[in-house]
Amino acid sequence: MEKRGSFGSKIGVILASAGSAVGLGNIWRFPTEVGRNGGAAFIFVYLLFVFLLAMPVMICEFVVGRRSRANTVGAYRVLAPGKPWVVAGYMGVIAGVLILSFYSVVAGWTLHYTVDSFRYALASGQDFGAVFSQFVSHPWKPLAFQLAFLLMTHYVVARGVESGIERFSKAMMPLLLFIILLLTCCSLSMPGAREGLTYLLRPDFTKVTSDVVLSAMGQAFFSLSVGVGCLATYASYFSRETRLVNSAFSVCVIDSLVAILAGFIIFPAVFSVGGVEVDAGPGLVYITLPNVFNTAFSGMPVLGYAFSCLFYVLLLLAALTSTISMHEIATAFIRENFGLSRRLSAVVVTLLCIVLGFACSLSFGPWRDVKLLGLGFFDLFDFLTAKYIMPLGGLMITCFVGWFLDRQLVEDELTNGGALRVRSLRLLLFLIRWVAPVGVAIVFFNQLISD
Ligand code: PHE
């Protein structure tokens, strides 16, 4: 079998993991949730979940991945041979494929909007709501863009860990961060931006109901890519010198910053135009924003053009660095479990995601009446992964690392065999053993009862 890949540098580790985390979840989903659920109050609850629950889960994934040097299923086989923990590994592989299938639908829309913004096709005077719904329900157009996007993902993954995933992340993540900062400055300097900021930053705790708390946790897990073995797979390519705790902390900080900055881009711009709904839901980025770009820059169409092109490129890059990591979960599994080459394993995963992904896309158009458990494919895959597999996966991996694995082994991983002094070690172990599993379990079972 081919040699196992590895990340060549420290910065590669952070940028690839942050690339997985920063995605549509930050730029598309987070501002929508903030707009609907109480502004800064939601951000506050969200950050608590990020650092108290999701970060410990991420650290557990890093421990399992780097220690075992195997894909998610293989990892449990190495660390707990013959034990049922391996179920968590299989759940991760399935979740990776399901998430990639529905996520690539939205990524395909983004590709279409990127092309359209470069072609100057998002010019004013159109009913963007109608344009959007016509596009997503078209029998083949969204499929074509989704396919193109999946092939881009395939190309990077098939090239391997160092010359594909790491190289791509190192080139694209700095560009992505630069675009975010540029757009934030642009947005904040718009007339009326202040109102948007006030809306975003004014905490409205009355809106934080138990449902909102649940969705904040779901959002934290989704945004940090935890609970499906994605970061465990990446960690299996980390070197012995990688500092697991520091890296996890950096990824959480970068991811949260990007999410909040995405709010800083969207809300001031939307408010400066006025008359558009900020809690427009998923259509925000595809319906509200083209309107905003046109109206805000009606006197300077060139700036509007540049702003919209940059925004959709940003969204596209963010989506791509995330889909690569989802794809890698199953590719690594197939490669190591069945002894196939990386290229062939990637082909299998891509084909599977094309079939399932098309089913998701068609659920917005010709297959809108095809329902399983009362849901179309897109909603079903989203529901199964975000509500069940991710929290359950998080629960299992924290129990595995906190209670099953030998404590010395865990400490060795966290301190690189004693070479590092991790000041927060005791606190971390407490979070891993108690806070994270109990917190996730409470939220998860609460949700089961309320469904
Ligand atoms: N974290 C990604 C985002 O915010 C989504 C993702 C989920 C990526 C699970 C990998 C695994 O968009």
Side-chain angles (χ1 to χ4, degrees), residues 365-430:
W367 287 9
R368 71 170 61 82
D369 295 325
V370 182
K371 306 260 182 226
L372 261 176
L373 306 172
L375 295 170
F377 285 105
F378 184 99
D379 292 333
L380 180 70
F381 289 3
D382 181 9
F383 176 81
L384 283 180
T385 50
K387 290 224 156 164
Y388 290 93
I389 304 187
M390 287 188 133
L392 243 151
L395 188 61
M396 285 169 91
I397 200 158
T398 42
C399 290
F400 181 70
V401 172
W403 298 97
F404 178 82
L405 279 186
D406 177 40
R407 186 165 172 148
Q408 190 56 44
L409 178 157
V410 176
E411 286 188 16
D412 262 7
E413 281 301 317
L414 297 179
T415 59
N416 288 358
L420 301 174
R421 262 198 58 216
V422 179
R423 257 182 289 141
S424 50
L425 194 65
R426 296 181 118 239
L427 172 67
L428 248 178
L429 288 171
F430 178 69

Side-chain angles (χ1 to χ4, degrees), residues 20-26 99 103 222-225 228 230 322 325-326 390:
S20 165
V22 172
L24 296 173
N26 304 58
I99 297 177
Y103 198 93
F222 187 81
S223 188
L224 290 170
S225 317
V228 292
C230 176
S322 297
S325 69
M326 297 165 198
M390 287 188 133

Side-chain angles (χ1 to χ4, degrees), residues 146-168:
Q146 185 183 14
L147 178 65
F149 187 87
L150 281 170
L151 292 180
M152 283 157 48
T153 307
H154 175 89
Y155 175 77
V156 179
V157 173
R159 291 184 61 106
V161 176
E162 198 168 347
S163 47
I165 302 175
E166 182 175 4
R167 209 150 111 207
F168 185 78

Side-chain angles (χ1 to χ4, degrees), residues 36-199:
R36 278 183 182 160
N37 300 328
F42 180 84
I43 300 183
F44 176 75
V45 178
Y46 173 78
L47 289 177
L48 277 183
F49 281 132
V50 165
F51 288 96
L52 294 182
L53 303 190
M55 192 175 84
V57 179
M58 185 184 289
I59 292 174
C60 292
E61 291 209 13
F62 282 177
V63 167
V64 167
R66 184 174 66 177
R67 184 70 182 199
S68 63
R69 301 225 161 274
N71 65 83
T72 36
V73 172
Y76 287 102
R77 290 213 181 107
V78 171
L79 298 174
K83 296 271 184 330
W85 290 105
V86 72
V87 173
Y90 282 110
M91 259 169 40
V93 174
I94 295 171
V97 171
L98 295 184
I99 297 177
L100 182 51
S101 303
F102 77 81
Y103 198 93
S104 58
V105 174
V106 185
W109 300 345
T110 309
L111 182 59
H112 172 255
Y113 273 72
T114 311
V115 173
D116 264 8
S117 57
F118 276 97
R119 283 177 46 225
Y120 223 97
L122 299 180
S124 58
Q126 310 179 52
D127 175 352
F128 286 108
V131 170
F132 178 68
S133 48
Q134 258 167 28
F135 172 70
V136 302
S137 57
H138 193 277
W140 60 264
K141 273 191 197 156
L143 303 186
F145 283 94
Q146 185 183 14
L147 178 65
F149 187 87
L150 281 170
L151 292 180
M152 283 157 48
T153 307
H154 175 89
Y155 175 77
V156 179
V157 173
R159 291 184 61 106
V161 176
E162 198 168 347
S163 47
I165 302 175
E166 182 175 4
R167 209 150 111 207
F168 185 78
S169 310
K170 268 163 97 174
M172 294 306 149
M173 285 306 285
L175 179 62
L176 183 150
L177 296 174
F178 174 73
I179 300 181
I180 284 253
L181 289 178
L182 191 71
L183 291 182
T184 308
C185 296
C186 226
S187 218
L188 289 180
S189 61
M190 287 176 157
R194 177 175 267 226
E195 240 180 287
L197 269 191
T198 317
Y199 181 85

